[in-house]
Amino acid sequence: MRKVVVAATQMAASWDIAGNLAQAEETVRQAARAGAQIVLLQELFETPYFCIDQNPAHLALAQPYAQHPWLGRFAALARELSVVLPVSFFERAGQTQFNSIAIFDADGSALGVYRKTHIPDGPGYTEKYYFTPGDTGFKVWDTAYGRIGVGICWDQWFPECARAMALAGAEILFYPTAIGSEPHDASLNSRTHWQNVQRGHAAANVMPLVASNRIGTETGETGAITFYGSSFIGGPDGEKIAECNRTESAIITAEFDLDALAEKRRAWGVFRDRRPACYGAIATHGGGAPDGIA
C-alpha cells in the first residue's frame, strides 16, 4: 500500500512579482499543513499571463534554469516541508525561451526540467511569440511519493501527451494551467470542455489527474482574460473528486493508493490490449499521405 495526498491550488497574480512568489510559497505551506505531499501550483505564477500581448519587453522575464533567481527558494521549501513541487517558470536557454517546469523532490533535490511541447497561438494566448516548442519530450519523474507525469496547459488537450507519460510509468498526471475567457469572443466558455478532456485522460489511463488554473481578470495592452479557476482533481475513472470554484483562491486535496491503482490498471487491460502497430496515423499530421503522395 502506497498512499499519497495530492493538492491542486489556484490564485490570482499581479505585477507584484515578490508578492506572487510569497503567495505561492504560502499556498504550498497551507497545502502541506492540509496533508498534501505533492502540491501543484499554476502555470507561470511569477507574473500575470503576459502572453495576452506580443510585447518584446516581456522576453526579459525569462531566466536560465542554472542560477535561477528564485527556483532555489522553492527547492528549499520542498525540502523544509518534505513535499514534491512541480514549479512552472519562464526559461531562457541560449538564444531562445521555453515554457518550462522544474521538478523538486521532497528532499529539495532538482529532478530536472520539462519544456512545454504544444504551444498555442490565438487571440489572447499568443504563446508562439514567446516560447519555442519544447525539446525534452514527455517525461516522468520518480519522486519520494510516486512516479509523476507533468504536462503544461495546452499539453492537456492532447491525449498523446497523457498516454506517453502513462506508458513511461506515470502513476499520477499533473497539469499546471492558465486558461479562461477568449478575448475575441465573449460567448466562448471552454471550462467544461477543459475539464472533460482531462477527465478523459484520467479514465483512459486509469490514473488520477491534477489540474491547477489561475483566477482573476488580467488586462493586457490589447485585451483581457478572465481566468476561470475550476482547478480540480480527477480520479482514475474520470470522476471529479474535488473542485475549486471560478473566483477564489483555493487548495483542494485528495488521497490515492498507488499500489491499488496499479493493480486496477493491470486488471482493466487498457495497456495489455493496445495495438501500437495499428496506430501509425497518430504519428502523422493528417492521418496519412494523400493518394499519389509517397
Side-chain angles (χ1 to χ4, degrees):
M1 181 181 298
R2 288 184 301 130
K3 291 190 175 181
V4 60
V5 178
V6 299
T9 70
Q10 61 185 36
M11 64 184 201
S14 72
W15 282 109
D16 176 4
I17 291 176
N20 295 335
L21 296 176
Q23 182 181 196
E25 178 178 332
E26 179 57 27
T27 296
V28 173
R29 291 186 180 279
Q30 290 179 20
R33 287 195 289 271
Q37 296 164 299
I38 309 177
V39 182
L40 184 66
L41 295 164
Q42 65 212 36
E43 180 185 22
L44 299 173
F45 61 84
E46 178 190 11
T47 65
Y49 182 72
F50 51 84
C51 306
I52 293 174
D53 305 302
Q54 295 184 10
N55 184 339
H58 294 328
L59 295 170
L61 295 168
Q63 298 288 339
Y65 175 60
Q67 291 82 50
H68 191 277
W70 55 261
L71 281 178
R73 172 180 182 174
F74 286 86
L77 184 65
R79 180 173 60 252
E80 176 191 343
L81 302 176
S82 296
V83 297
V84 173
L85 291 180
V87 179
S88 174
F89 70 107
F90 186 15
E91 181 188 9
R92 185 174 78 238
Q95 298 302 315
T96 194
Q97 302 79 226
F98 295 97
N99 186 336
S100 300
I101 194 151
I103 313 297
F104 297 115
D105 207 352
D107 62 358
S109 60
L111 300 182
V113 168
Y114 166 70
R115 292 168 170 167
K116 185 174 181 177
T117 300
H118 303 95
I119 309 298
D121 186 31
Y125 300 89
T126 62
E127 294 196 16
K128 281 188 168 69
Y129 181 80
Y130 295 99
F131 310 128
T132 292
D135 57 2
T136 58
F138 304 119
K139 305 182 78 169
V140 297
W141 315 92
D142 286 310
T143 77
Y145 305 118
R147 178 173 282 189
I148 65 173
V150 185
I152 302 173
C153 200
W154 193 225
D155 287 335
Q156 67 206 355
W157 294 84
F158 296 86
E160 298 87 349
C161 174
R163 178 52 56 90
M165 293 189 290
L167 289 172
E171 297 177 297
I172 310 175
L173 302 175
F174 292 83
Y175 291 98
T177 302
I179 189 169
S181 60
E182 302 291 338
H184 69 293
D185 187 346
S187 70
L188 294 176
N189 184 350
S190 63
R191 175 187 172 275
T192 299
H193 187 186
W194 172 73
Q195 288 191 339
N196 284 349
V197 72
Q198 294 177 90
R199 292 171 64 188
H201 301 333
N205 292 293
V206 195
M207 67 180 56
L209 185 149
V210 183
S212 291
N213 193 18
R214 63 175 64 207
I215 57 170
T217 297
E218 297 181 11
T219 302
E221 300 163 18
T222 59
I225 295 176
T226 298
F227 295 93
Y228 49 60
S230 305
S231 304
F232 75 100
I233 300 172
D237 296 328
E239 74 278 29
K240 281 194 289 188
I241 291 178
E243 180 181 11
C244 304
N245 67 26
R246 288 174 173 263
T247 59
E248 297 175 321
S249 298
I251 299 164
I252 53 175
T253 63
E255 182 179 76
F256 298 101
D257 183 337
L258 298 182
D259 285 338
L261 289 176
E263 290 181 8
K264 180 172 182 170
R265 275 192 299 278
R266 287 193 295 271
W268 197 245
V270 294
F271 292 94
R272 178 199 64 207
D273 296 338
R274 293 181 68 252
R275 297 287 306 281
C278 299
Y279 306 151
I282 298 286
T284 71
H285 280 103
D291 291 343
I293 298 178

